[in-house]
Structure formats: C-alpha cells, structure tokens
Amino acid sequence: MEAAAAGCRGPGLALCGALMAASGGSRFLVARYQEPSVDDLFMYDCITAGKKSQEDRGQDGQPAVKASDDILAFAFSSSGGYFALTDDNKRLVLFRTKPCWECLSVRPVVRRCTSLIITAAEDKILVADKSGDVYSYSITEPQKAGKIELGHLSLLLDVALSPDDQYILTADRDEKIRVSLTRAPYNIISFCLGHREFVSRIFVIPNYPDLMLSASGDCTLRLWEYKSGKEVHCCHLNSLNKTEATKNDKKYAVSRIAYCCQGNYIAILCDCIPTVYIFQFDAATQQLNYRHQISLKYKGWDVAFEETGGLWILQEDKEASLLLYRPVDGHWQPVADDKGLMKMSKYLQDNWTMFKGSVGTESCYSSLYKASFDNMAVYLQKKEERLQQQQKKRKELQHESNRQTKKIRTRDSS
C-alpha cells in the first residue's frame, strides 16, 4: 500500500484501502476503486481554497508572490480517515474522508512544500519545505498554526516517519538523510551517508520498521538500518538500463518508490525513463533482488501498490492513463478486464484537463544536480593560451630585432 505522493511534483497517485486518489495541476479526484458499481467521485480544486481572508498572505504576514494553485504533495492517513495536501500557493488543506469528504481547514504555510506525511496516531501532519524546515500541523485542532520541528541547511526533498512515530527521517539536496527523535527533533540519532547526489526519496519499510529505502540522483537504490546509519545494500540502477544510460550520457533520479508488504515487492520509477523496475526484498539475506521491469509506451508519472499486490501505474496517455499489473508465476502481467481499472480510467479520461499542464514537461530534477567543473581542462587550456602568447611575443621581438639589424647594415653600407 502506498498512501502518499510527494516530492518533485507532477501528477500523483495514492492508494489507501479501497480509496484511490489522483492529482494533476490544481485538482485531485478520489473514489473507491474497489466498488466499481458505485459512482462516488469526489473532486477538489485548490483554486477554491483561495477564497479566504488570508489568500494573498503567507504565514509570516507578508504578501505572497503570485503562484499557481498546483498541488505539490498529498497524503492519506494510515486509516484513510484524513487526507492532506499542499499547493504552490503555500496552503495546507486538510480533509476528513469519513463518513463523507469534508474540508476541515485551509492553513497558510511559511514556504512552498516538497513533501508531507501524517503521523500513525493521526494527530499531526509533518510538512517539509524548500527552505529545509519541517513544520507540524495539528489535526485535532485544524485551525492551529504550524510549529517548527527541525531544520536543515539545504532544500528538503522528502520526509518520512517510523511506523511507531518515534523517528522523523528527512532527506535533503546535499546527499544527507537525517534521523531525529520525534519528541525531541533537535536530538539527532544518526545520519545515513553514502549517496553522491541529492536524495529524492526515502521510505521506511512498514513490515520491517528498522529498515529504510532511499533513492537518489546518483542512480542508486539503497537499504539502511537507519537508527545506526548503516548501509545494508546498494543497487546501481544504471546497470539495469545500459542503453538508456548510454543514450542520455547523464544521471537520472528516482522519482517514486512504492512498496507492497505482500511479497515485499518494491516498484521504482525513474524520472524521464518510461520503465518501472520491480525489486523484491529478501529479509533473510537483507538484499534487494531485481525481478522484473515493465516498459511503458509513455512517460510514467506515478506508481502505487494495492494491499493485495496489484501495481497501479499513472502514465502520460489520455486513452490509457491507468495501468494495472499483477504478478503471475514470477512475471508481472497487465490486467485489462478489471472493473475498478475501468471505473477509475473513465474518471481520469473525463477529467483529463487536470493533467494537460504536465504533458510533455521536462525533468524537474535537472537543476538539483551538483555543478561539476573540469579544472584540469581549464588549466591546460589556459596554459596553451599562455604558450601561444609567449610564442607570438617572441616572434614579434625577433621580427623587430631583425628589422633593426637590417637598418644598421643599410646605414653602414651607405
């Protein structure tokens, strides 16, 4: 089960129990995909969240820069009873989903957010932002302002919680994963260090709560014992797609990680590569074993597992925006006649305008890579320029010397 969609945003997909939510632009839609005969579509547009007294002001009271209303991150609570999202206009919107969908609050946030998660106790929302801070917002007091919990010196890209809410895990642009105590976030338990580029995704494995998955712009998927900061296993993803890596001649980032407790399957979606990679976690050896890859005809936007093991894929195609795969004899096979798939695909097709702004967009991770400079090449180039200048100067001096000598000889002969 995958209950959140976050990070470097585009269209998103999340499953929680019988609920499926999909977002695009400023809108999201949700329905019970496991009840195909029931027309229970709920839609929300963040443009409507702006109709409040503070619509043009941030939490610091200063006028906000004009922005879009695009959804940046969203998440279900573990029970599915709550749903929260943040948008590009620096708003946090909280919903209660039972017995029917109801917007409980629209609160301003200090900075644009990159990721959010709801605690297992369902009493707080943790929001990570672009300035490197994590704020907590109460669910039980839905109008209460946020409280800062911790801060990094770099842009945060993801935030996660241990299943017992005891630890906050944060990932930043500067290759670091920090593990802090929830009750005292200033108390840093460990750092998980090893990535060589920004950490795009982190995920605590729910049925192995002492282990964490992380992915990065360095094309690796890593397994950690996060409380000690020990790296357990590392998979180099570029070795799985040598053709694509060779053609691009550049690194690519993991944009999504999805996990299924039934079978310990892991689905990886890489930015700008139309392929979903399937791994399986072996608890006995603590290894991440590559199993399969699903090639897509179009760019993949998001992936999510249902509790029974089905893998849902949201892709950049109006006619087949949703795909469903299930494992059959060790191979992942497409499912075409699922009634829940037909229901949700119809909803997405009828509301395709919410995705139009995301079709054909470039990578949102390219600006996060460290700039590299070939100092030796620059040195050699400057050295060559100096040698050429010196050689030119010597020629000019020699020419002038020859001219002066010729003048003297002419004078003496006359």
Side-chain angles (χ1 to χ4, degrees), residues 50-114:
K51 295 177 170 55
K52 64 185 194 309
S53 60
Q54 294 179 327
E55 65 176 305
D56 294 324
R57 294 187 177 273
Q59 186 166 298
D60 54 7
Q62 298 300 314
V65 177
K66 183 175 177 58
S68 72
D69 297 288
D70 289 355
I71 295 171
L72 301 178
F74 64 86
F76 282 104
S77 64
S78 55
S79 70
Y82 294 97
F83 181 89
L85 67 83
T86 62
D87 69 8
D88 194 47
N89 239 328
K90 297 191 286 188
R91 292 180 295 231
L92 173 65
V93 187
L94 174 64
F95 296 87
R96 181 188 290 123
T97 68
K98 299 175 182 178
C100 60
W101 280 75
E102 176 190 2
C103 181
L104 297 180
S105 67
V106 179
R107 284 174 279 190
V109 294
V110 179
R111 297 285 186 272
R112 287 182 178 86
C113 302
T114 55

Side-chain angles (χ1 to χ4, degrees), residues 188-204:
I188 300 173
I189 301 301
S190 68
F191 284 98
C192 299
L193 304 176
H195 284 295
R196 297 186 177 183
E197 283 288 353
F198 58 88
V199 183
S200 55
R201 280 288 179 269
I202 52 175
F203 181 82
V204 178

